[in-house]
Amino acid sequence: MNFSQFMRQGHRWLSILFTLTVIANFAAMAMGAPPMWLVYLPLPPLFLMLASGLYLFALPYAARRRVKG
């Protein structure tokens, strides 16, 4: 498995983790005021998804540049 495939697979798992934390957040809000750690729990996967998503977005452009150059 090369780095791009690893990044793509990691991005998919991070999206599942992010979705689960958001669902847990909404479920906790339905029961009352959630604790602050639960409110901020979706942020780490979100920032990691931002980094991996930007990498995956730029990957085709970098490959095109490598072929031309």
Side-chain angles (χ1 to χ4, degrees):
M1 180 186 272
N2 64 16
F3 185 73
S4 296
Q5 291 171 335
F6 174 75
M7 187 65 77
R8 196 173 304 275
Q9 189 69 26
H11 188 79
R12 289 181 186 139
W13 281 106
L14 281 171
S15 67
I16 292 169
L17 179 64
F18 174 74
T19 303
L20 291 175
T21 56
V22 170
I23 290 170
N25 215 330
F26 277 109
M29 284 183 192
M31 294 182 215
M36 289 309 289
W37 65 268
L38 187 60
V39 172
Y40 293 119
L41 192 61
L43 291 179
L46 182 63
F47 288 129
L48 290 171
M49 281 176 44
L50 173 67
S52 63
L54 287 173
Y55 171 79
L56 292 172
F57 177 77
L59 200 59
Y61 299 106
R64 229 181 281 152
R65 184 176 218 119
R66 255 183 275 138
V67 170
K68 285 184 182 179

